[in-house]
Amino acid sequence: PTLKRFFLFHFQLPFLLCGFAILHLFYLHFLSSNNPLRNSTNNKIPFFPFILQKDFFGLILVLCLYFLQTHFGVSSLSHPDNALEACALLTPLHIVPEWYFLCQYAMLKAVPNKNAGFIILFTSILSLFFFGEIRNLTTLCVLPLVNNGFSLSFFFLSFLSYLWIGAQFPQEKFLSYARILTLYYYFLLMCILFSKKKKKN
């Protein structure tokens, strides 16, 4: 049942995201967007043709990278164990997800309880959305302005460490590293989210 729900979620999620994107474009076209600097202004750029051309250029660029990956580098970002033939009678010793799930997979391996692991997994993703909401950030370039850069740099270093730990065997030393990094991950998030803004001279 869990595997069926997992595949059902992966099937329905793209359609759900597509619907949210269409809804976002609908309200953006009719109501316009707010100003992240909180300045009241009437200088609005029309959606057509300027924004449409920029979106179309970004779509073509992403499609080019997608076709390059699918036609010339299918297995370059995948783990070799994923190419082994599946056997219903044999449980694999090591399950490796795709590289963009390694961070969350390391957190799940670090927590032995299923419910606690799900809560940590959910809050680790949800807390990233607070970057844009609480701190009013639109790009990563604004992050050093609201933080001293120390905790921010260690945050990205911990993320890279998670990628390495997620690809390793679930041994005790790697699980210990993942537990320490999980506490450190949330500590850095609190430091970044609740730090005071820098005052410009």
Side-chain angles (χ1 to χ4, degrees):
T2 305
L3 196 59
K4 288 182 179 179
R5 294 192 193 102
F6 184 74
F7 282 118
L8 187 64
F9 173 74
H10 274 69
F11 179 76
Q12 291 180 345
L13 185 62
F15 295 102
L16 186 64
L17 293 177
C18 183
F20 277 120
I22 293 173
L23 193 66
H24 171 71
L25 288 176
F26 174 78
Y27 283 109
L28 186 64
H29 180 70
F30 284 100
L31 301 178
S32 181
S33 60
N34 59 349
N35 192 332
L37 299 177
R38 309 292 183 184
N39 296 331
S40 58
T41 177
N42 291 323
N43 299 327
K44 297 179 180 178
I45 302 174
F47 184 80
F48 182 84
F50 181 71
I51 303 297
L52 186 63
Q53 289 176 354
K54 288 189 68 176
D55 288 348
F56 187 71
F57 174 75
L59 177 65
I60 294 298
L61 184 63
V62 169
L63 284 179
C64 288
L65 295 175
Y66 174 75
F67 284 124
L68 283 174
Q69 178 64 30
T70 53
H71 291 285
F72 299 104
V74 178
S75 300
S76 60
L77 296 178
S78 182
H79 197 275
D81 290 349
N82 294 333
L84 298 176
E85 186 177 356
C87 179
L89 302 177
L90 182 63
T91 303
L93 296 176
H94 186 34
I95 300 173
V96 181
E98 296 296 335
W99 64 271
Y100 43 82
F101 283 135
L102 286 177
C103 181
Q104 283 74 29
Y105 183 59
M107 290 184 183
L108 283 177
K109 286 196 298 185
V111 181
N113 189 286
K114 289 184 179 181
N115 295 327
F118 175 76
I119 292 174
I120 287 179
L121 174 66
F122 183 72
T123 53
S124 67
I125 301 173
L126 186 65
S127 59
L128 297 177
F129 289 99
F130 291 127
F131 280 148
E133 296 299 326
I134 293 179
R135 303 311 304 239
N136 194 21
L137 303 175
T138 53
T139 60
L140 287 176
C141 300
V142 194
L143 268 175
L145 298 177
V146 299
N147 196 265
N148 57 8
F150 180 79
S151 56
L152 182 63
S153 59
F154 272 88
F155 176 77
F156 285 109
L157 283 176
S158 65
F159 179 77
L160 294 176
S161 303
Y162 265 128
L163 294 181
W164 175 71
I165 291 174
Q168 303 302 319
F169 282 96
Q171 298 174 354
E172 186 60 35
K173 61 176 180 179
F174 295 120
L175 295 179
S176 302
Y177 296 156
R179 291 182 185 118
I180 295 172
L181 275 177
T182 302
L183 296 175
Y184 193 56
Y185 177 84
Y186 283 98
F187 173 73
L188 289 177
L189 277 179
M190 296 301 107
C191 290
I192 295 172
L193 289 176
F194 299 108
S195 60
K196 295 182 179 180
K197 285 189 177 182
K198 283 184 177 180
K199 293 183 179 179
K200 294 183 179 180
N201 296 328

